[in-house]
Amino acid sequence: MAVDYAVIVVYLAGMLAMGWWGMRRAGSKSEFLVAGRRLGPWMYSGTMAAIVLGGASTIGGVGLGYRHGLSGAWMVFTIGLGLLALSVFFSARIARLKVYTVSEMLDLRYGGRAGLISGIVMWAYTLMLAVTSTIAYATIFDVLFDLNRTVAIILGGTIVVAYSTLGGMWSITLTDMVQFVVKTIGVLLLLLPIAVVKAGGFGEMRAKLPDEYFAPFGIGGETIFTYVLIYTFGMLIGQDIWQRVFTARGDKVARWGGTVAGTYCLAYALAGAVIGTAAKTLYPDLGSADDAFATIVKDELPIGVRGLVLAAALAAVMSTSSGALIACATVANNDIWSRLRSAGREGGDGAGGDARHDEVRGNRLFVLIMGVAVIAVAIALNNVVEALTVAYNLLVGGLLVPILGGLLWRRGTVYGALAAVIVGGGAVVGLMAAYGILATEPIYYGLLSSLAAYVIVSLMTRPTDEAVLVAWRRRLAGQEGEVGAVASAGEGAVPVV
């Protein structure tokens, strides 16, 4: 195991070194939060793929393959579909807005007053996403070093918080590119072919497993539909995903780079399902399907390769965790704290060296605070699936309609948006209490109630002021500078339109 340990230690040390290097580049709010909006196509594609393919997509994807066979790919497949839809239909417009958060977009579109409540919902989602990613460290470090759960969470979480706090999005981007390469080599180029060979090839797998393991829809139509609602739509509106879109150098980078990343996700989904199916062939009686990844890595891979594949799993968890952490901190600072503290203050974004320094220092402090909070909640929380389900149900049930409605329907109003958030979010919470957190009814009826509230209240209230819509169209066309129409966006104030 000494060689495997060395691989992991070198990898973790590299992550911290990149955090230190990124700190030198994060000299302004834009650099710290969105990497100066300067990423080219290759770096953008790699980092986007890295953030959406986390521990759930890797360890969980293999587990679904172990339980359901090839149809276990559907969860990660719907994530890829969502990223493709975002990239093809919306990413160019999102990138041209030159904002930092989804809530700032809502304020621009509806003329203010929607940002705070949407920010609270988005903060809850990003917090729980970061927590569930952080919990996954326990599984990986248990395999590596036989550490207990709390120590593993603190160790993995501290490394992510350290490099994220130091350099913000630049550090996260650099580490994500390394993590993307490590995941590609470890999972697609090493673990996938080795697992298939060890299982005796596809012929042996088909001979030993039931036919439903090779049926494309064996997981069930209702499950697939629920994955589409939660993950495909969740990709369209999550702050963690939008914040990566904001890093693109231009429209074409956002569109084509995201398309490449989405296509990569589809291949990754199939790879995880095949690995899980191979694990079922080799170990038909595992106590838990989620142990399939760790078991096949420990028992079937040679020394050195095993360390690299475990580093790939660690990379998958770290990329999602760091992306969710900076998104959580950005929302907490820009959409909640700054609005509550100085909603009426006006001023430019990054005006002067001292102001830039204060903005970076403030955002860095929030990354640190949110990181400590994420580690503490991860230690206290046990049920990862329920926490992630609550996060996505709130996100999709409360924010999907007002966000897509703002992009697609001119008649939508701020009161309709607020009604959609409150009614949809309230319905999701109430239905989860009535039917159970893992039930499908909360997301179905939550979305329908949110849509009904948005349409009805928008039609019953005065249309959005034409000056607001003109300013909105100018921003969508890229005719305004960065946060040009937002008063004190760096301080979280409402837009002046």
Side-chain angles (χ1 to χ4, degrees), residues 23 26 53-54 69 79 87 92 95 104 167 178 287 308 367 393 416 428 430 440 447 467 488:
M23 182 175 66
L53 296 173
I79 291 174
S87 301
E104 287 180 4
V178 175
L308 183 58
V367 172
N393 281 354
V428 163
T440 57
L447 262 178
S488 196

Side-chain angles (χ1 to χ4, degrees), residues 4 7-8 58 140 144 182-183 185-192 194 275 293 296-298 301-302 304-316:
D4 296 327
V7 172
I8 299 299
T58 304
I140 299 170
L144 284 170
V182 171
K183 278 192 290 190
I185 295 173
V187 176
L188 295 183
L189 302 183
L190 292 176
L191 181 57
L192 174 60
I194 290 174
I275 293 167
F293 180 89
I296 198 169
V297 169
K298 281 199 301 182
L301 298 185
V305 173
R306 179 171 50 200
L308 183 58
V309 172
L310 287 172
L314 193 59

Side-chain angles (χ1 to χ4, degrees), residues 60-69 71-72 213 227 276-277 280 288-290 292:
V62 172
L64 286 171
Y66 184 90
R67 188 180 297 116
H68 300 286
S71 67
Y213 265 71
Y227 284 159
T277 305
K280 182 67 174 179
S288 170
D290 288 337

Side-chain angles (χ1 to χ4, degrees), residues 194-321:
I194 290 174
V196 172
V197 170
K198 292 285 186 177
F202 284 101
E204 187 71 12
M205 291 161 63
R206 290 194 69 96
K208 289 186 175 181
L209 297 175
D211 290 341
E212 55 263 28
Y213 265 71
F214 301 92
F217 303 101
I219 199 170
E222 183 178 356
T223 300
I224 294 172
F225 183 64
T226 302
Y227 284 159
V228 170
L229 286 181
I230 294 176
Y231 297 113
T232 301
F233 287 148
M235 288 295 105
L236 297 180
I237 59 175
Q239 169 67 25
D240 52 323
I241 308 302
W242 277 42
Q243 198 156 343
R244 292 309 173 98
V245 176
F246 300 152
T247 66
R249 189 167 59 200
D251 297 1
K252 291 184 178 179
V253 170
R255 182 181 293 112
W256 295 110
T259 301
V260 170
T263 304
Y264 178 89
C265 291
L266 303 184
Y268 201 88
L270 184 59
V274 171
I275 293 167
T277 305
K280 182 67 174 179
T281 306
L282 292 166
Y283 312 100
D285 300 315
L286 289 179
S288 170
D290 288 337
D291 293 334
F293 180 89
T295 302
I296 198 169
V297 169
K298 281 199 301 182
D299 294 350
E300 303 298 337
L301 298 185
I303 294 173
V305 173
R306 179 171 50 200
L308 183 58
V309 172
L310 287 172
L314 193 59
V317 176
M318 282 187 162
S319 58
T320 299
S321 181

